[in-house]
Amino acid sequence: MNAFDYIIVGAGSAGCVLANRLSASGKDRVLLLEAGGSDRSPLIQVPLGYGLTFADPKYNWMYTTEPDPALNQRASFWPRGKVLGGSSSINAMVYIRGQQGDYDDWAAAGNTGWAWKDVLPYFKKHEDHVFGANEHHGAGGELRVSDFADQVHPLCARFLQAGKNLGYKRTDDFNGEVKEGFGLWQMTIRNGWRASSSNAFLRPALQRIQLVLKTQAHVTRVLVEDKKAVGVECLIGGAKQTFTARKEVILSGGAINSPQLLQLSGIGDRALLEQVGVPLVHHLPRVGQGLQDHLCVSYFFKSKVPTLNDQLNPWYGKLWAGIRYAFTRRGPLGMSVNQAGAFVRSRPGLDRPNLHLYFNPISYSAAKIVPGRFKITNPDPFSAFLISFNTCVPTSRGSVTITSSNPLDKPKIETNFLTTEHDLRDIVEGSRMVRSIAHSRPLVDVLASEHLPGVSVQSDAEILEDFRTRSGSVYHASCTCAMGVDPSSSVVDSRLRVHGVTGLRVVDASVFPSVTSGNTNGPVMMVAEKASEMILQDNL
């Protein structure tokens, strides 16, 4: 039988949550289609294994952006998960909800029901937080959020104290009452294993006969009749198959794949579709527009004391880390190398933090990601650490557009970074802040030298040029099917229904009106949690 009540396209961070919730009642048949394959590999399940899946096409869409003038005509490598769990199976596992103001801005733009007070219950609903249930957290849910204060590298304590000595706040919980300041990251890890959306939500739900999962299923088109989505067409094993949906088709392919699929289905800007030879089904000009991402740069500092480089660079260090993990599920392999960080304001007069900082007690200053090539990255052969930063809510926007009617062709990703004075100002201020932290006690006491970019880079112009030369994506692509009231300036409404086409929704990071401050995996799962409730309400 190829007829279902709901068809979900994409078994990623959002799709796995939806599959769980929509199949829970036992009344509806749910089909979950995933273009990738199994997530059972140890490279995915062992937390630090993400360093090995980062550029592996077996688990990754391996996207490359167009050359960006703002980055000295550099193209950027954009990994996106092509596997059960999607990008939650290959990310760095840092769990950040974002700032309260991020969501209040969404609501202020006309998106009723998306203010902070509205979304907090959905974060809490599926959370199993290490701190237990309280005003800010949930316990007993599917998604484990863990604290690693007892395992992080000792250098993290120096970073936190340096922030305090500079007058910044300290927070013990970036997802609690105090979201500003210096602190340690919480991570989606359970008992030493990655807590991906697949592990947390999909695996338990697969026991239900109402839920059908098909992997290696590349959806090529949404089928639309009389402005109503009625099913999808996809390739499985090279053969074309059609599945029909009695209630809804839900796109959860992410900020790249969802707008691509809409355009391939004839839903998008009329001029673009005519240009590539796709018959127009519904003119919706903002499909693929408004792309946002976090763009960061790392400052590398040689250290007088050992860092994770000394543990993970030599073969015997890797062996010892592996043995320790095998017997205890602890140590460097059992968590992210991104261990501490901060949300801070770089200048007076701001209503909330504008900079996101990361502290890693490890460095990869010589690493180069080669798109399309599997590469194992080794830490630097000397003691070092890094501090990175990006602006929390950039104002520059790009686009995702198809280049042909062939669904197997990758779309064109234009980033258009650094096109606003707001973003440029944050870069200069962020760079100076990073250096002020590195040169504050007690971190400066173990600072041997600045390895990159080097002390010769000092002026605003030099800082900006270095950023254009070395910066890279933090892989938080979003906003390409943004929610809003007006179909001329958005793609979905506040209930995530595609404007002008019934029976069709988008549920993933592409519906963000603006990118959240921080890592996006947690917010995506919240969106899916809230969306699943709305979908069930609308189909009573």
Side-chain angles (χ1 to χ4, degrees), residues 54-244:
F54 189 76
D56 188 346
K58 183 177 180 180
Y59 308 112
N60 201 316
W61 284 100
M62 307 295 290
Y63 288 121
T64 304
T65 71
E66 296 296 299
D68 193 325
L71 305 185
N72 292 337
Q73 295 297 334
R74 287 187 296 124
S76 300
F77 173 51
W78 275 23
R80 309 304 302 166
K82 187 181 181 182
V83 63
L84 291 179
S87 293
S88 76
S89 288
I90 66 170
N91 69 357
M93 298 157 292
V94 174
Y95 183 80
I96 289 291
R97 293 170 173 174
Q99 303 293 317
Q100 177 174 326
D102 297 338
Y103 304 96
D104 291 341
D105 287 347
W106 290 9
N111 296 296
T112 304
W114 291 95
W116 174 251
K117 65 178 178 60
D118 302 313
V119 302
L120 178 58
Y122 297 98
F123 279 113
K124 294 172 63 175
K125 180 179 177 180
H126 59 231
E127 193 175 53
D128 185 20
H129 200 281
V130 64
F131 295 161
N134 56 39
E135 179 184 355
H136 305 285
H137 293 297
E142 293 88 351
L143 184 69
R144 181 63 174 177
V145 179
S146 297
D147 174 74
F148 289 85
D150 64 336
Q151 294 190 55
V152 297
H153 194 278
L155 274 179
C156 291
R158 291 181 178 269
F159 170 79
L160 299 180
Q161 187 60 43
K164 183 177 180 180
N165 290 344
L166 285 171
Y168 293 104
K169 298 177 183 178
R170 169 70 192 274
T171 179
D172 294 323
D173 183 3
F174 281 114
N175 299 299
E177 182 176 1
V178 180
K179 300 174 178 63
E180 182 174 359
F182 280 60
L184 302 176
W185 302 128
Q186 296 162 7
M187 304 178 199
T188 49
I189 296 173
R190 183 185 289 275
N191 299 326
W193 299 101
R194 174 185 290 272
S196 66
S197 188
S198 173
N199 287 339
F201 297 96
L202 179 59
R203 202 78 56 197
L206 286 175
Q207 301 173 26
R208 304 169 187 152
I209 60 173
Q210 295 82 12
L211 176 60
V212 176
L213 167 67
K214 291 186 181 294
T215 58
Q216 307 294 343
H218 189 130
V219 177
T220 58
R221 186 163 62 104
V222 177
L223 303 175
V224 181
E225 296 177 1
D226 298 324
K227 296 295 181 77
K228 175 178 172 57
V230 296
V232 299
E233 187 180 85
C234 66
L235 292 173
I236 300 179
K240 185 183 297 185
Q241 293 193 36
T242 298
F243 300 95
T244 60

Side-chain angles (χ1 to χ4, degrees), residues 237-470:
K240 185 183 297 185
Q241 293 193 36
T242 298
F243 300 95
T244 60
R246 287 185 285 264
K247 294 183 178 179
E248 293 195 23
V249 174
I250 305 154
L251 307 189
S252 296
I256 309 302
N257 297 74
S258 285
Q260 176 194 26
L261 185 55
L262 285 176
Q263 292 166 359
L264 288 168
S265 306
I267 303 168
D269 181 70
R270 178 185 289 105
L272 169 68
L273 300 183
E274 288 177 352
Q275 180 182 339
V276 298
V278 173
L280 179 69
V281 170
H282 181 65
H283 175 60
L284 198 56
R286 293 300 295 177
V287 172
Q289 301 299 307
L291 173 67
Q292 285 195 306
D293 184 28
H294 290 132
L295 184 67
C296 86
V297 74
S298 297
Y299 277 53
F300 298 89
F301 301 93
K302 289 189 175 181
S303 171
K304 298 177 183 177
V305 297
T307 68
L308 284 179
N309 290 7
D310 301 272
Q311 296 181 46
L312 297 179
N313 178 275
W315 68 266
Y316 52 84
K318 294 184 180 71
L319 177 62
W320 170 244
I323 293 172
R324 182 183 179 191
Y325 177 79
F327 284 95
T328 68
R329 296 291 180 265
R330 293 170 64 89
L333 300 190
M335 58 180 164
S336 176
V337 295
N338 194 356
Q339 297 180 359
F343 287 97
V344 294
R345 309 179 206 207
S346 64
R347 58 184 179 273
L350 297 173
D351 63 351
R352 60 181 184 265
N354 65 317
L355 292 178
H356 182 186
L357 309 180
Y358 317 79
F359 179 80
N360 291 15
I362 195 169
S363 69
Y364 300 91
S365 62
K368 292 186 182 298
I369 299 299
V370 181
R373 185 182 305 169
F374 177 65
K375 181 178 177 61
I376 296 178
T377 302
N378 228 22
D380 288 319
F382 48 80
S383 303
F385 58 88
L386 67 85
I387 307 176
S388 306
F389 77 92
N390 62 255
T391 184
C392 285
V393 184
T395 53
S396 302
R397 291 186 178 261
S399 63
V400 174
T401 52
I402 57 175
T403 58
S404 77
S405 59
N406 185 348
L408 300 182
D409 288 346
K410 291 183 178 181
K412 179 168 65 174
I413 304 170
E414 296 180 287
T415 49
N416 294 337
F417 286 132
L418 310 183
T419 54
T420 67
E421 288 300 319
H422 167 280
D423 295 356
L424 293 172
R425 182 178 183 179
D426 278 358
I427 289 169
V428 174
E429 293 179 353
S431 297
R432 299 200 184 286
M433 178 174 290
V434 164
R435 280 177 163 159
S436 70
I437 295 166
H439 288 86
S440 296
R441 299 194 68 185
L443 196 55
V444 70
D445 296 335
V446 298
L447 175 62
S449 63
E450 181 179 308
H451 181 56
L452 284 175
V455 294
S456 63
V457 176
Q458 291 293 334
S459 69
D460 289 2
E462 290 168 337
I463 287 171
L464 285 172
E465 181 57 28
D466 174 68
F467 193 92
R468 296 181 192 279
T469 301
R470 296 194 303 115

